[in-house]
Amino acid sequence: MSSGAGDGVGRGAVSRRGFLAAVTAGGALAALPGCERGAARPVEMPGGATNVTPCPGPCPAGVVTGHVPILKPTPESDFILHNESNAEMRFEVMARHAGVTPNEAFFVRSHGTTALIDVRKWRLVVDGDGVERPLVLTYDDLLRMPSRSVTRFLECAGNGRAFFGELLHHAAEGDAWRFGAWGIAEWTGVPLQEILRCAGVRPTAAHVTPEALDDVGFARAMPIWKAIEEDTILALRMNGETLPPDHGFPARVVLPGWAGVASVKWVGRLRVTERPVYTEWNTEKYVLIGPNYRPAPPARGPVVTEQVMKSAVALPWGAALRPGRQTVSGWAWSPAGRIAGVDVSLDGGKTFASARLVGPNVGEAGVRWEMSFDARPEHTSLTPRATDEQGRTQPPLDAQKWNEQGYLFAAPVPHPIRVGG
Ligand SMILES: Nc1nc2c(c(=O)[nH]1)N[C@H]1C(S)=C(S)[C@@H](COP(=O)(O)O)O[C@H]1N2
Ligand SMILES: [Mo]
């Protein structure tokens, strides 16, 4: 998987032909394993509409009951509030956690505001010229479908954007996130491939576009090969709880390894099409623009898909440490599998020593690392650098390409510390 121009549709559509043949087999839904549970069945559109369009529209009024700023508490101890709809997790929160990021501390990044949805009236529409049987599913239908839990990171493509300015001295446009537009959660829901199978994907289907019910009409296409990967799911639960409103209740897609922008919240429709679907979110925003990139019309640059590997220190920015023996911790994650090792530099990146990996190490989620050292006043930063099981290592700063909107910062970052008496 690479994040180049376009989204690899051709390759995926061909290589997954076998799967597509299986999911496209015609005939009664009951003949399809997983669809016979009385779960997914074609439903008349409310009001008898035959032209299925997303809510709000022909869907019952009152599906969306409001649009509000972040609903959950965002205490200063856990968050840096960039604005009313964008809250960065303070990375030191992760020093207290071994597995996932608790929902209360999970970052929120919304281009509009949080949509409040009446789940009794909510429907998921699955349609487009790529399916044989358009579906309208209720929340209960989805609860009865095959379910799967995956622990994966979710990270904004702009996570680390602040470092374009702070380290490359070439600031990028947008909220200056450091490392906290990231979190790990256990997502539970229906694999997208199950939903698509029930709708009968045509062999010519190449794109799946989840459309949101939020106030910006958020929508972002993915290639069919990504949609049918086993761990791509329509999540209904997050860390064992019903999906919180700020994170997309009642349903959001989760695309492991990909930039958070692909994981559309408050989904009301899955549009399956033969032709690519262009929205602001894959033509203007979340595309790479800059001297190293060429426009990819109608997109202003290559579309951001896969994230980049990172490592971060779970200490306050500019933390004060006592001299003497110290154990510090942090996290590392890769979109391409498990982390194989983390090295940490105490001299700004000249020399590195290995850190210990502790606790669960889950591919496309991340792992905690710890390092003990004798803190001395000349130590002014901690610089972690991760390597994943593919043998890839975070690239040095001089290899970091700049882009206008500050996506995909990948270089190791010196985390400032102060060692005093
Ligand atoms: N409907 C909708 N989905 C969305 C967004 C949005 O603004 N609206 N923001 C996207 C972006 S850019 C990111 S990084 C993630 C953030 O997910 P979170 O708020 O659950 O952490 O959601 C994505 N899904
Ligand atoms: Mo994002």
Side-chain angles (χ1 to χ4, degrees):
M1 272 176 269
S2 67
S3 52
D7 47 15
V9 165
R11 179 184 52 141
V14 172
S15 68
R16 303 302 166 102
R17 192 113 314 143
F19 176 89
L20 287 177
V23 298
T24 52
L29 280 180
L32 299 172
C35 303
E36 76 279 23
R37 303 179 183 186
R41 55 186 187 273
V43 180
E44 289 296 308
M45 263 316 266
T50 46
N51 262 351
V52 182
T53 49
C55 305
C59 301
V63 171
V64 180
T65 60
H67 297 282
V68 296
I70 298 175
L71 203 64
K72 68 183 178 186
T74 50
E76 263 232 55
S77 55
D78 290 359
F79 291 101
I80 300 155
L81 206 56
H82 291 276
N83 58 55
E84 62 169 25
S85 295
N86 292 287
E88 172 170 4
M89 175 190 72
R90 288 191 188 274
F91 212 90
E92 56 267 37
V93 166
M94 289 304 288
R96 306 197 291 265
H97 301 286
V100 297
T101 308
N103 290 355
E104 307 79 64
F106 210 94
F107 82 102
V108 180
R109 205 272 180 269
S110 299
H111 289 276
T113 51
T114 290
L116 301 178
I117 289 174
D118 180 344
V119 73
R120 291 162 306 172
K121 295 182 180 158
W122 176 85
R123 299 290 182 272
L124 177 70
V125 175
V126 186
D127 70 343
D129 60 16
V131 298
E132 290 173 350
R133 299 174 291 269
L135 300 177
V136 182
L137 303 173
T138 65
Y139 190 66
D140 285 343
D141 289 335
L142 290 167
L143 289 177
R144 286 193 295 262
M145 288 183 74
S147 165
R148 172 156 196 205
S149 294
V150 294
T151 298
R152 298 289 186 271
F153 73 74
L154 180 75
E155 181 183 22
C156 184
N159 196 33
R161 179 182 287 132
F163 306 125
F164 284 97
E166 293 177 7
L167 301 178
L168 280 185
H169 309 294
H170 191 177
E173 291 165 12
D175 293 328
W177 315 97
R178 285 201 180 101
F179 282 120
W182 169 92
I184 297 178
E186 184 199 54
W187 309 97
T188 302
V190 184
L192 227 50
Q193 58 166 256
E194 295 288 346
I195 297 172
L196 295 175
R197 194 162 56 135
C198 292
V201 176
R202 294 186 200 277
T204 48
H207 309 266
V208 178
T209 307
E211 296 180 349
L213 301 170
D214 60 359
D215 51 359
V216 289
F218 199 83
R220 226 260 188 174
M222 72 185 94
I224 191 96
W225 66 262
K226 184 63 180 173
I228 64 178
E229 284 199 333
E230 282 184 344
D231 55 357
T232 295
I233 61 175
L234 183 73
L236 307 176
R237 301 177 75 75
M238 179 177 181
N239 292 327
E241 291 169 21
T242 299
L243 198 63
D246 296 314
H247 299 290
F249 176 82
R252 82 173 306 162
V253 288
V254 173
L255 275 67
W258 281 33
V261 60
S263 293
V264 177
K265 305 189 273 190
W266 312 293
V267 173
R269 182 190 194 189
L270 292 172
R271 195 142 65 96
V272 186
T273 57
E274 297 180 359
R275 302 181 65 92
V277 173
Y278 297 105
T279 60
E280 180 182 353
W281 314 101
N282 61 3
T283 59
E284 297 284 325
K285 309 255 174 67
Y286 298 95
V287 297
L288 301 168
I289 303 166
N292 294 296
Y293 305 99
R294 295 231 188 99
R300 293 183 61 207
V303 177
V304 174
T305 57
E306 198 172 273
Q307 280 290 41
V308 289
M309 183 169 24
K310 285 191 185 65
S311 52
V313 181
L315 284 176
W317 200 250
L321 300 182
R322 293 229 182 82
R325 200 74 185 156
Q326 291 286 350
T327 298
V328 295
S329 67
W331 286 75
W333 59 95
S334 165
R338 302 201 305 166
I339 292 294
V342 175
D343 298 316
V344 181
S345 175
L346 290 167
D347 55 14
K350 290 192 211 67
T351 59
F352 284 85
S354 308
R356 297 185 294 280
L357 304 186
V358 289
N361 186 350
V362 179
E364 295 167 62
V367 67
R368 181 188 171 93
W369 57 262
E370 285 179 5
M371 193 201 52
S372 301
F373 70 111
D374 285 311
R376 295 193 302 268
E378 64 264 32
H379 295 142
T380 57
S381 63
L382 292 163
T383 311
R385 186 183 63 193
T387 300
D388 67 16
E389 62 184 353
Q390 309 284 325
R392 301 196 292 192
T393 299
Q394 289 182 257
L397 186 61
D398 58 17
Q400 176 69 52
K401 289 182 197 159
W402 180 86
N403 65 93
E404 207 172 279
Q405 296 173 84
Y407 301 127
L408 304 181
F409 193 91
V413 171
H415 184 115
I417 56 168
R418 224 162 4 91
V419 180

